[in-house]
């Protein structure tokens, strides 16, 4: 069984229950996490609370950068967060900068983002082989992916997951959480 869990506000605790093969209802401990948590923090909180009853959560996240409107230096703060293992997180920010000589070739941006992978946990790859005008940013654990304070040429913009972000702008994408149970159907 699988489901998607929506983000809840800080201080809200919930539990999940499964009915095992003998008809016994098993319930997790309280699942809590900070209000601005990414999918990685939420999945971690669910998995920790549900490990004794067979409930596990996995998070995924990816976002595209495409449609750069002009060549020049593209710079932004790549923002994300790491799970602290207790329902809280640590914000992570890394300055990214790349000189783009052709707005349809984001190779230098791919290199700059991948060069920061050990700090951010975010990787970049071309969305489609042979098309260097679109890149996909991905995480292995579903953490947030964001760009902040974009500078694109003199007054350019770039699309972040389909939304145009102008110079000075910001955008964030939160991942999704898939929940599974080794013991059958579950409820929240």
């Amino acid at each position: 069984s699988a489901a998607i869990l929506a983000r809840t506000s800080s201080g809200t605790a919930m539990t999940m229950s499964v009915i095992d093969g003998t008809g016994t209802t098993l319930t997790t401990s309280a699942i809590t996490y900070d209000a601005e948590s990414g999918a990685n923090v939420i999945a971690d909180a669910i998995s920790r609370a549900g490990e004794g009853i067979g409930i596990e959560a996995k998070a995924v996240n990816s976002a595209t950068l495409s449609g750069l409107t002009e060549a020049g230096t593209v710079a932004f703060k790549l923002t994300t967060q790491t799970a602290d293992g207790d329902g809280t997180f640590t914000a992570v920010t890394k300055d990214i900068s790349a000189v783009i000589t052709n707005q349809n070739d984001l190779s230098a941006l791919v290199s700059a983002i991948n060069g920061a992978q050990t700090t951010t946990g975010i990787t970049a790859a071309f969305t489609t082989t042979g098309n260097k005008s679109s890149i996909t940013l991905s995480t292995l654990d579903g953490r947030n992916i964001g760009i902040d304070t974009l500078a694109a040429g003199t007054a350019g913009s770039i699309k972040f997951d389909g939304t145009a972000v102008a110079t000075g702008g910001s955008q964030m994408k939160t991942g999704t959480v898939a929940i599974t149970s080794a013991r059958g159907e579950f409820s929240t």
Side-chain angles (χ1 to χ4, degrees), residues 83-147:
D84 293 340
D86 61 358
T88 63
F89 62 87
T90 299
V92 176
T93 301
K94 181 71 175 169
D95 289 329
I96 302 295
S97 181
V99 176
I100 306 296
T101 56
N102 175 343
Q103 71 194 51
N104 293 312
D105 184 354
L106 302 180
S107 297
L109 194 53
V110 169
S111 295
I113 292 167
N114 287 337
Q117 176 188 3
T118 56
T119 301
T120 65
I122 297 170
T123 60
F126 294 112
T127 305
T128 305
T129 304
N131 178 359
K132 295 181 179 184
S133 67
S134 176
I135 61 177
T136 298
L137 309 181
S138 302
T139 70
L140 294 176
D141 64 0
R143 64 185 63 194
N144 288 347
I145 300 172
I147 60 172

Side-chain angles (χ1 to χ4, degrees), residues 19-158:
I19 299 174
D20 71 8
T22 66
T24 303
T25 300
L26 307 170
T27 303
T28 66
S29 58
I31 301 167
T32 61
Y33 49 88
D34 286 347
E36 296 301 318
S37 294
N40 60 322
V41 177
I42 297 167
D44 180 65
I46 293 167
S47 291
R48 277 185 294 104
E51 70 184 339
I53 64 170
I55 291 178
E56 183 177 24
K58 298 263 187 217
V60 296
N61 197 8
S62 66
T64 57
L65 287 175
S66 62
L68 180 64
T69 58
E70 65 180 65
T73 300
V74 174
F76 54 84
K77 294 181 184 309
L78 186 60
T79 61
T80 189
Q81 57 187 222
T82 58
D84 293 340
D86 61 358
T88 63
F89 62 87
T90 299
V92 176
T93 301
K94 181 71 175 169
D95 289 329
I96 302 295
S97 181
V99 176
I100 306 296
T101 56
N102 175 343
Q103 71 194 51
N104 293 312
D105 184 354
L106 302 180
S107 297
L109 194 53
V110 169
S111 295
I113 292 167
N114 287 337
Q117 176 188 3
T118 56
T119 301
T120 65
I122 297 170
T123 60
F126 294 112
T127 305
T128 305
T129 304
N131 178 359
K132 295 181 179 184
S133 67
S134 176
I135 61 177
T136 298
L137 309 181
S138 302
T139 70
L140 294 176
D141 64 0
R143 64 185 63 194
N144 288 347
I145 300 172
I147 60 172
D148 187 27
T149 321
L150 173 70
T154 55
S157 66
I158 195 165

